Amino acid sequence: MTTATPDTGATPALKPYLRLLTATQFAFNTGFYAVLPYLATHLGDGLGMAGWLVGLVLGLRTFSQQGLFVVGGALTDRYGPRPVVLTGCVLRIAGFCWLAQAGSTATVIGAVLLIGFAAALFSPAVESETARAAVAHETATGTPRAQVLAVFSAAGQAGAFLGPLLGSLLLLLGGDFRTACLAGAVVFVGVLAGHARLMPHRPHRPRRPRTARAGAALPREVFANRPFLVLCLVYSSYLVSYNQLYLALPAEVERATGSQSALGGLFALSSLLVVLAQLPLTRWSAHRLPPRTALVTGLAVVATGFAAVPLAPDGPAGLLPAAALVVLLTLGQMLLVPAARGLVPDLVDDHRLGLATGALSSVSGLAVLVGSAATGTLLDTPGAVLWTVLAAVPLTGAALALTLSGGRRTPEPVTTVTD
């Protein structure tokens, strides 16, 4: 028996199945973000919807996606990733084509619900398979799983960066929102074709022991699992903080500059930081920081970003607070997200990994819903109060993360990934 030698190269050499999953994440975000940035304008200016109705439609899309991740995860555990991913791709194609033609409130709501539910199917399937494959890769090669998950995250951010550029290019070339929707549908046709050909038909999944009460006990393996629930709360504190890019940051930019025109550049800065720095930062942290330490450090960095906002100067340097927040929040994200995702396989049984992956996102999505409402009530308070409260959220998550185990369980032989 030979001992695996850790891969310390710039980018881990991924097996074909991991490359497929990583390319999937890139393509998903490219197609999605080619449409999403222009949806609100289309609903308001193109279809004449009132502002509250535009907000409702966007909220319904988020709920049908993030809130139902647990459904996609449970279906992945039951049927395997292939049928769930393929069904999600078909529904996403249908949703984009429907949205391209939708002209009434009812049809728009139907289309965005379908688009969101499609993501609630394929995203947990792809994320749980990536986590499972990362564990197998770690066992076989010694490469820390966080490095593999960092490649996955960077691919998603690259898609989130390129998608709006694709949508803008189509608009500049004389297209309209309908063109962007159809372009997004075409991207997902390619994803569907690639997975229909390359995704294993019968991935080997570990069989759980049969017991008389197995069916009744299955939910408890996730929802009565205290360490996993703590991780959900820790991850929720991050996601509530990250959501401030869309809530508190615009308010700060407008306060400092009188408009929100600089937001696009700040979002691009965040995406570029992930694309350029995610892999080297994770390569460094994976070999030096236990997952729990990476979580605590990442959340502390996020808290520092919030605390720095009221300390930065106004005047000509008015955007410095917002830029500092974006940079520190993104750095914290790059440290903690691969670590959090990498911990999930250690905290739940492998045959419930899909459900756990979905639950992590659904619990965090519910926290964002509550946290956004709470933050909205604080936007008119003095800046020092707002940013102190926001800094307390990731600090609370960091304190919770300290209660998690700092080590890893010994991975069992993994036979779930085929090339």
Side-chain angles (χ1 to χ4, degrees), residues 107 109 250 280:
T107 54
I109 289 176

Side-chain angles (χ1 to χ4, degrees), residues 161-399:
F161 179 71
L162 292 176
L165 297 181
L166 172 63
S168 297
L169 178 61
L170 291 171
L171 296 177
L172 287 174
L173 293 177
D176 52 14
F177 181 76
R178 179 172 179 270
T179 305
C181 287
L182 295 178
V186 168
V187 172
F188 280 91
V189 168
V191 174
L192 175 63
H195 282 71
R197 178 176 178 82
L198 299 175
M199 202 166 200
H201 283 267
R202 293 180 180 178
H204 299 287
R205 291 181 291 149
R207 296 181 179 275
R208 58 178 173 87
R210 294 183 177 274
T211 64
R213 298 184 61 194
L218 276 178
R220 292 182 59 83
E221 297 176 15
V222 173
F223 297 109
N225 182 331
R226 182 184 177 280
F228 175 72
L229 293 180
V230 170
L231 179 63
C232 286
L233 292 176
V234 171
Y235 197 75
S236 295
S237 72
Y238 148 70
L239 207 59
V240 169
S241 299
Y242 186 80
N243 195 61
Q244 302 313 314
L245 287 177
Y246 309 102
L247 190 58
L249 178 65
E252 169 61 23
V253 170
E254 185 158 4
R255 182 201 66 78
T257 67
S259 76
Q260 296 186 6
S261 59
L263 275 177
L266 292 173
F267 288 146
L269 172 63
S270 177
S271 294
L272 278 176
L273 276 174
V274 175
V275 172
L276 297 176
Q278 178 74 79
L279 298 184
L281 180 61
T282 304
R283 187 172 68 253
W284 173 84
S285 65
H287 289 286
R288 291 168 176 81
L289 301 178
R292 182 181 66 184
T293 305
L295 280 174
V296 173
T297 304
L299 288 166
V301 171
V302 172
T304 302
F306 289 127
V309 172
L311 301 178
D314 288 327
L319 276 178
L320 278 179
L325 173 61
V326 168
V327 170
L328 290 172
L329 197 153
T330 304
L331 288 175
Q333 170 199 358
M334 289 189 285
L335 275 172
L336 68 92
V337 169
R341 293 289 182 182
L343 274 173
V344 176
D346 288 339
L347 301 179
V348 300
D349 288 339
D350 192 68
H351 62 277
R352 304 308 289 173
L353 185 56
L355 176 62
T357 301
L360 183 67
S361 293
S362 291
V363 171
S364 302
L366 180 60
V368 168
L369 183 62
V370 175
S372 295
T375 303
T377 65
L378 294 173
L379 289 179
D380 293 330
T381 62
V385 174
L386 170 65
W387 298 109
T388 299
V389 172
L390 290 177
V393 173
L395 287 178
T396 302

Side-chain angles (χ1 to χ4, degrees), residues 73-83 128-129 132 201-208 350-354 413-418:
L75 291 173
T76 300
D77 289 334
R78 176 66 179 83
Y79 299 105
R82 178 183 168 88
S128 61
E129 278 298 284
R132 184 178 284 119
H201 283 267
R202 293 180 180 178
H204 299 287
R205 291 181 291 149
R207 296 181 179 275
R208 58 178 173 87
D350 192 68
H351 62 277
R352 304 308 289 173
L353 185 56
V414 181
T415 59
T416 60
V417 180
T418 61

